Amino acid sequence: MTPFGILSILLFVATAIFYIVFASLAYYWHERRESVLIVPLLYTFEFFIIGFLVVSLIAILLQFGPDIVVFFNN
């Protein structure tokens, strides 16, 4: 499996855990029913986007790192 695939699976698991924890905290302090579902979803999406950009950067560096090193050594 490629590094991107492994890191993507780890990101999905981390995002699910983040959502479960955040939703349980929001349920504990909820004022309206919408705040239990929508607010954690917004924060989880922000967490996922940042994580996806990090995973993409790591996958690109792992994929093209050796080529970049050879290019700069010549």
Side-chain angles (χ1 to χ4, degrees):
M1 190 172 239
T2 64
F4 184 74
I6 294 169
L7 292 173
S8 295
I9 291 170
L10 289 175
L11 178 61
F12 286 132
V13 170
T15 304
I17 292 170
F18 185 81
Y19 180 78
I20 291 168
V21 169
F22 202 101
S24 63
L25 289 173
Y27 181 74
Y28 183 71
W29 285 299
H30 75 284
E31 294 179 9
R32 295 177 48 180
R33 186 162 193 251
E34 294 81 14
S35 66
V36 177
L37 298 175
I38 303 301
V39 173
L41 189 64
L42 294 174
Y43 284 103
T44 305
F45 184 70
E46 180 183 356
F47 174 80
F48 179 78
I49 290 297
I50 293 170
F52 183 77
L53 292 175
V54 169
V55 166
S56 298
L57 179 65
I58 291 171
I60 289 170
L61 288 176
L62 288 175
Q63 184 71 31
F64 297 111
D67 295 334
I68 293 172
V69 169
V70 168
F71 178 75
F72 282 118
N73 282 338
N74 290 334

